[in-house]
Amino acid sequence: MARLTRGLPGRWSDRVGPVRQQALSVSLATGAYGLSLGALAVAAGLDFWQTMVLSVLVFSGGSQFAFVGVIGAGGTPLAAVGTSALLGVRNGFYGVALAPILRPMRGWRFAWAAQVTIDESTAVALAQPETDDARRRVGFWWAGVGVFVAWNVLVGVGAIAGAYLGEPEAWGLDAAAAAAFLGLVWPRLAARKAQAVAAAAAVLALALTPVLPAGLPILAAAIIAIAAGWRDPTERPVPTEVQP
């Protein structure tokens, strides 16, 4: 503890208290999405244990919603895995930004850090002052572990409840995946170029939907973003605002 607080003003408890509160708020808000994912996974044909293994091992909301959405729409497992993996690539870039803050890491701590490197843990960590790595580490671990626990518990509750709900369309849960995606993407559409890329990708995906199997139009639409990034490889900052 002394190593963490050395050279920084204020008591440790006063400095990290608001960070923990912020992390817990983000964890509870994000975990609520897990209810809809659990119900949708069961409606798509997965059983309870398949849903839980998917949730614990993948542990990335966007990737999980993509996997369940493609399977539910009748897509192939390969298309579901491809779409899910494509959305999960961003977590690798988050790891590059967080590595200098979290070092040194070895063994189980390294594995845990990799597993809980997601949008929320990155956002809470990088929202703290740049000069206070201790607060950034607290934000990362509390948000990462908090979301992991809340998310997986509520995915399990949603999966159990989904078995008794019948058709998810009757409860409006079929719109939950699209709403969750929109919530994740919305903060990143502030720039006009991002809006243009998103619009072009949406048009291409809609045009290909009648002629390609489910899931493949999304993968094809990613070509638009790759081409745009290839032409303008300007470094973009990792998001520093918490958007649960």
Side-chain angles (χ1 to χ4, degrees), residues 15-214:
R15 288 171 48 217
V16 302
V19 183
R20 290 172 176 170
Q21 292 175 3
Q22 184 182 38
L24 290 176
S25 298
V26 170
S27 300
L28 294 175
T30 305
Y33 284 112
L35 285 170
S36 58
L37 176 70
L40 286 171
V42 172
L46 277 65
D47 63 25
F48 174 82
W49 292 112
Q50 288 172 332
T51 300
M52 293 310 301
V53 169
L54 171 70
S55 182
V56 171
L57 295 183
V58 177
F59 186 52
S60 181
S63 297
Q64 290 174 248
F65 274 114
F67 183 92
V68 170
V70 173
I71 293 296
T76 65
L78 183 61
V81 171
T83 305
S84 176
L86 188 64
L87 287 171
V89 167
R90 71 187 189 283
N91 293 337
F93 294 103
Y94 293 164
V96 174
L98 290 168
I101 301 169
L102 300 177
R103 288 173 180 153
M105 290 185 296
R106 298 182 182 86
W108 68 269
R109 195 178 182 87
F110 182 85
W112 256 114
Q115 182 68 355
V116 300
T117 297
I118 53 176
D119 296 316
E120 291 78 11
S121 58
T122 303
V124 174
L126 298 186
Q128 310 311 317
E130 294 184 9
T131 56
D132 197 341
D133 281 353
R135 285 181 62 177
R136 288 186 155 198
R137 282 191 287 271
V138 169
F140 172 83
W141 285 110
W142 275 72
V145 175
V147 172
F148 186 88
V149 173
W151 177 263
N152 287 301
V153 168
L154 291 173
V155 165
V157 173
I160 294 173
Y164 298 96
L165 288 177
E167 294 296 327
E169 292 85 353
W171 300 84
L173 291 177
D174 55 321
F181 269 126
L182 186 60
L184 290 171
V185 170
W186 192 261
R188 294 168 174 77
L189 297 180
R192 288 189 176 181
K193 181 177 180 180
Q195 295 170 4
V197 170
V203 170
L204 180 60
L206 289 173
L208 294 177
T209 296
V211 295
L212 292 180

